[in-house]
Amino acid sequence: MKKTLPKKLILYAILVLLPLQTDAQKFDSLALTPPMGWNSWNHFACDVNEELIHEVADAMVSSGMKDAGYVYVNIDDCWHGTRDSQGFIHPDPERFPSGMKALADYVHAKGLKLGIYSDAGWKTCAGRPGSRGYEYQDAQTYASWGIDYLKYDWCNTEALNAEGAFLTMGHALVAAGRPIVLSICEWGTYKPWEWGKKIGHLWRTTGDIYNCFDCVINHGTWKSWGVMQILDMQKELRMHAGPDHWNDPDMMEVGNGMSVSEDRAHFSLWCMLAAPLIAGNDIRNMNKETRDILTNKEVIAVDQDPLGIQGFAYRTYKDMEVWAKPLVNGQLAICFLNRRENAREIIFNWQDNPVGDDISKTSYDFGKTEYIIRDLWLKKETGTTGTPLKAVIAGHDVLMLKLIPEK
Ligand code: GLA
């Protein structure tokens, strides 16, 4: 006898499973580890055009960035032209004469992905057309161009509710049918870590980064922040981050003018935070020091660890912080940060400083287990946790280690 599914089960599937599917608010699993790429804003601001994007895509490959894991080439503000009589957005015809589809084809042919930028309000932060009222149409346009990543900003949003506005764009992207990473950029104003997980893949936690290690720039109605200031703003947020939903402490300033020590510390700390690694420098013309920082695969592996646990400062001495980040296979990343301008010597007795993390439910007792110490910038093993660590750390620099349990 032919078996048929009970009617009740079919009804259940229609009533429960179908709405679940059509109600999907984001494409899952697009960012199981923090997204890696490049963005135009920090170095080029509004000065973007297709030639630059071609050259950046070329440099991603030739510099070794692609090989190190960077994949997104993201155009920030100012690519826009105008909307046509039917409301479709077009790129600026002088800056992008070949159009966005051709640009996406170029980037894809290199094995990379293309990102674009819009804004939930009437206008973007630089005064270009925003997506308000055009969300579904814009999402369809981006999908038809072959866009892979959308950074969605929050200027000129007056009476909008943040969660609702980002949800609308999230729905629009899903409806458009192309998997596009959604980067929520409302600067932490309405606590996106509390609602962003179901809508997007990453959310900015702060106002804009500024190219300095330790400073605040007051622009009157808003402020931009140095690396240390942004770092301090992440400390209470780590429980909200994980695979496919990341805290975003903003795009990097590595290679934009800080000292090599400061760039190294900035990069190391972003990796300890499991932050999206979006380079913000001119990667076509970077020097060896910058390239070596951005492409250090051992440090990147800390960021990209599959557990996706955001690190934390587990010991703080005066101007010296010891950060910890649990990794797979019982390993642990440790980063000593010297916030002072001058060098200082440290002596750190592992046995007196066990690591315990309530959030990831991990603990590391150096009295019970001995760990091999690997210095991730020197790229070599430098001892074990059996004896106290002695080191001199330059001003505004780090000592970044991976601890590997002895068998
Ligand atoms: C805001 C964002 C920046 C950048 C600019 C572009 O300030 O936070 O990251 O996208 O807008 O205008």
Side-chain angles (χ1 to χ4, degrees):
M1 210 173 77
K2 208 172 116 194
K3 281 190 183 161
T4 50
L5 286 172
K7 272 195 190 126
K8 267 192 184 161
L9 197 66
I10 295 171
L11 197 66
Y12 174 83
I14 292 171
L15 288 179
V16 177
L17 298 178
L18 206 64
L20 268 187
Q21 230 180 5
T22 50
D23 269 5
Q25 290 162 350
K26 89 180 204 192
F27 281 99
D28 286 329
S29 308
L30 297 185
L32 291 177
T33 57
M36 293 177 65
W38 171 90
N39 173 292
S40 51
W41 185 255
N42 285 356
H43 190 88
F44 297 94
C46 263
D47 202 7
V48 288
N49 56 55
E50 69 184 33
E51 201 186 345
L52 170 72
I53 302 303
H54 285 165
E55 289 174 6
V56 165
D58 296 350
M60 282 276 255
V61 178
S62 62
S63 64
M65 298 248 322
K66 180 186 172 208
D67 183 50
Y70 296 84
V71 62
Y72 294 102
V73 177
N74 294 348
I75 316 168
D76 207 278
D77 210 342
C78 304
W79 60 267
H80 320 67
T82 50
R83 292 191 184 278
D84 63 23
S85 57
Q86 292 182 315
F88 288 100
I89 187 75
H90 294 272
D92 181 323
E94 278 173 22
R95 293 163 179 246
F96 295 90
S98 314
M100 286 299 174
K101 175 76 175 72
L103 191 55
D105 288 346
Y106 185 92
V107 169
H108 291 158
K110 306 225 155 241
L112 301 168
K113 296 184 174 191
L114 186 64
I116 213 165
Y117 162 100
S118 190
D119 188 288
W122 302 109
K123 286 186 172 174
T124 70
C125 296
R128 304 305 195 271
S131 287
R132 185 169 182 181
Y134 297 93
E135 293 89 348
Y136 281 74
Q137 198 174 358
D138 283 357
Q140 288 207 345
T141 301
Y142 303 152
S144 74
W145 287 342
I147 298 296
D148 306 291
Y149 185 113
L150 173 67
K151 174 176 166 187
Y152 201 49
D153 213 341
W154 187 241
C155 278
N156 307 304
T157 44
E158 288 95 24
L160 288 185
N161 164 284
E163 181 177 352
F166 284 95
L167 190 58
T168 303
M169 185 47 96
H171 272 298
L173 292 173
V174 171
R178 181 179 172 84
I180 294 180
V181 169
L182 178 56
S183 157
I184 296 172
C185 178
E186 58 83 271
W187 321 307
T189 314
Y190 296 100
K191 301 187 176 171
W193 43 87
E194 288 180 356
W195 47 263
K197 179 178 173 177
K198 61 181 189 296
I199 300 172
H201 304 88
L202 60 159
W203 50 81
R204 281 274 298 277
T205 53
T206 69
D208 290 3
I209 194 168
Y210 191 82
N211 186 25
C212 70
F213 195 71
D214 195 355
C215 76
V216 180
I217 306 291
N218 196 335
H219 304 272
T221 51
W222 59 287
K223 289 179 181 150
S224 45
W225 310 95
V227 170
M228 288 299 100
Q229 283 67 27
I230 290 196
L231 180 73
D232 289 342
M233 292 184 229
Q234 311 309 311
K235 288 180 178 167
E236 304 302 320
L237 303 179
R238 59 184 296 260
M239 68 287 278
H240 303 290
D244 229 20
H245 54 279
W246 306 101
N247 288 316
D248 174 9
D250 207 357
M251 306 166 300
M252 295 184 288
E253 294 283 10
V254 174
N256 279 341
M258 281 186 279
S259 72
V260 175
S261 293
E262 291 171 341
D263 274 352
R264 182 170 37 241
H266 172 21
F267 189 74
S268 303
L269 290 159
W270 261 226
C271 291
M272 294 301 287
L273 290 171
L277 295 180
I278 309 292
N281 58 317
D282 184 356
I283 64 167
R284 301 168 309 170
N285 299 306
M286 56 185 165
N287 60 26
K288 187 179 179 314
E289 285 89 351
T290 299
R291 196 179 56 231
D292 287 350
I293 290 172
L294 287 173
T295 60
N296 182 325
K297 290 184 183 175
E298 296 195 36
V299 179
I300 291 172
V302 170
D303 180 79
Q304 296 288 301
D305 184 83
L307 296 182
I309 300 167
Q310 182 171 328
F312 56 104
Y314 94 104
R315 291 285 182 274
T316 304
Y317 307 96
K318 210 166 181 288
D319 297 327
M320 171 71 76
E321 288 170 7
V322 191
W323 285 71
K325 181 180 194 290
L327 306 173
V328 283
N329 301 326
Q331 300 180 352
L332 183 70
I334 293 276
C335 184
F336 291 85
L337 164 66
N338 179 6
R339 297 176 71 129
R340 281 192 199 159
E341 280 181 6
N342 46 339
R344 65 189 276 184
E345 195 179 10
I346 52 158
I347 298 174
F348 191 75
N349 189 343
W350 299 100
Q351 318 223 339
D352 296 342
N353 289 285
V355 177
D357 178 18
D358 289 346
I359 288 171
S360 67
K361 311 259 183 300
T362 50
S363 58
Y364 302 80
D365 184 342
F366 305 112
K368 282 200 186 128
T369 309
E370 191 161 318
Y371 291 75
I372 297 163
I373 298 175
R374 187 165 172 86
D375 184 316
L376 300 185
W377 287 110
L378 293 178
K379 299 181 184 170
K380 64 175 193 198
E381 279 159 23
T382 52
T384 74
T385 53
T387 48
L389 175 87
K390 282 189 192 160
V392 175
I393 305 180
H396 289 183
D397 207 339
V398 289
L399 176 67
M400 179 129 170
L401 311 172
K402 184 161 90 172
L403 306 187
I404 306 149
E406 293 252 38
K407 290 268 151 48

